[in-house]
Every structure is written in structure tokens, then in C-alpha cells.
Amino acid sequence: MLVLSESLTGALERLVTETVDVILLDLWLPDSEGMATCHRVASKARNIPIVVMTGTDDRTLATEAMHSGAQDYLVKGAFPGSAIVRVLQYAIDRYHFQRELAQRESHYHQVLNHVPAIIWTTDSKLSITSAMGAGLQLLDLDPNQIVGKRLEEYFRITGEAEGAVRAHQRALHGESVAFETEWHGRTFEVKLEPLHEPEQAIGGAIGIALDVTDRRALDREINF
């Protein structure tokens, strides 16, 4: 059902009592003009996709509206009615897809932050691009705290750390690498894999490290 409102105040009042699938918003209303209109609607309609209508093909205004929460924009008179319907449907579909993606990403990060391991990625120059997992606490690190650092910089190339850097270099050449290393007084089992880009080229490495310090200590007691 199509519901019309001639003022922003009236539209905002209807949002409180009516279920709305999508908002087609004219930025120039009797009681509100320009981007202020978009900001006010976006703040009240946080769970409703918005498509903005502008009187001219003002790319700057359209871009600002998109950054303020609008899904898309239309220029008045530039599209037939059938095209407007498609734009509105696309805005609804894209909005729900983005929400689902955001929820999945939030769930993914929650899981990673509770996994007793360290999971990280690097780019092709061995700069760290992500670092997650509850195991970071063992190294006194927060998630993604070391993003941007090169492996050489973080490890400082001493002892076993030099071997870890070489292992990453092997992963960049397509190898699956498994090794054990000592770091911050803990023993870690590490598995590295090449990180493939969509074109199948190797764009970096992905690794997972499990703290096996207690297991190794138990093994030594059993075998003593």
C-alpha cells in the first residue's frame, strides 16, 4: 500500500504507528529542506530503507544522502513509474542483504573473539591485515591491535621468530606450512595457508595458532 505525506512532521508521526517497507523521500518539504530532511528521517527510520528524490542531478547532494543512510536516489522526472518501482524494490532487497551481512559479520567476530586461538592474515608483503581470537590475550594484545605492522617488525627477527617469517614466505609461494614456535614464553602450534584472491592469485597468508604449552608440559611429565 502506498502512503503519502505532504510534510516531514506528518511522515515521522506515521512511522511510529504504521509498518513501512521503504521510504521515497523528497528532500524539499514545507517543513524541512535539503540534507536536514534526510538526517531527520534516517535518525527516526533506522530499520527502513530510504530512497531520496532530488530536483536536479546533483551528484554531491546524492552522495551525501547515501552517506547519511539513504540506499539510493532518484532525479524527479528522469525515470518512468516502472523504473521507480524497481529502484524501491532493489533498495529493500539491498538493505536487508546488508543487514544480514552485518549480522553475520558480527556473529563471526564474536565467535573468533571466544575461540582459544589466534587467527590472522597478511598481505603479499607480509603486513598483518587482521588478528583475531581469544588467544591474543596470551600475548597481551587486543583484536587487530597489530594490523599494519610487518611480521619482521612484530617478531623483530630473533630466534624462532625468524623461522616464522620464513614459513609465511613459503605460504606466499603456495605451500601449506605447519610448525611449532615459542613466543612470549608460550608454545604454539601454527598452521599457515596461502590466501587466494578472487583471481586465484595468492594475495597473502592466513594462519591459526593454538597454545599447546600445557599439553606439551603434560607430555613431558608422562614421558619422564
Side-chain angles (χ1 to χ4, degrees), residues 22-159:
V22 62
I23 297 171
L24 182 59
L25 179 64
D26 191 333
L27 292 182
W28 305 97
L29 297 170
D31 54 348
S32 185
E33 297 182 351
M35 283 306 304
T37 307
C38 186
H39 291 316
R40 289 178 62 186
V41 173
S43 67
K44 298 293 184 181
R46 296 186 181 277
N47 296 318
I48 305 172
I50 301 169
V51 175
V52 166
M53 292 184 67
T54 64
T56 59
D57 191 6
D58 187 338
R59 300 283 179 174
T60 301
L61 184 63
T63 300
E64 188 176 351
M66 300 280 279
H67 288 162
S68 298
Q71 284 289 318
D72 209 339
Y73 75 97
L74 292 168
V75 179
K76 294 179 183 178
F79 297 92
S82 59
I84 294 177
V85 172
R86 288 196 298 272
V87 169
L88 293 177
Q89 186 59 57
Y90 176 70
I92 294 172
D93 293 342
R94 183 171 60 181
Y95 176 79
H96 289 299
F97 173 76
Q98 289 173 339
R99 285 196 66 190
E100 182 179 350
L101 193 63
Q103 290 171 353
R104 289 182 179 180
E105 185 174 355
S106 175
H107 177 70
Y108 166 76
H109 285 298
Q110 288 178 13
V111 170
L112 281 185
N113 286 331
H114 288 84
V115 171
I118 304 170
I119 302 169
W120 70 96
T121 57
T122 75
D123 61 17
S124 59
K125 296 182 180 179
L126 293 186
S127 290
I128 299 167
T129 53
S130 68
M132 306 291 290
L136 288 169
Q137 298 172 12
L138 298 170
L139 305 180
D140 296 322
L141 293 174
D142 294 323
N144 291 326
Q145 181 179 338
I146 56 175
V147 166
K149 292 183 179 293
R150 289 178 58 83
L151 285 178
E152 295 94 328
E153 178 186 0
Y154 177 66
F155 282 128
R156 296 185 298 277
I157 310 300
T158 57

Side-chain angles (χ1 to χ4, degrees), residues 157-192:
I157 310 300
T158 57
E160 288 293 325
E162 184 174 358
V165 174
R166 287 199 302 269
H168 281 77
Q169 292 169 340
R170 289 169 58 191
L172 290 180
H173 286 87
E175 292 186 52
S176 295
V177 187
F179 62 97
E180 196 168 283
T181 187
E182 301 286 335
W183 190 244
H184 279 228
R186 308 295 295 183
T187 303
F188 292 92
E189 256 183 17
V190 182
K191 181 67 181 296
L192 290 169

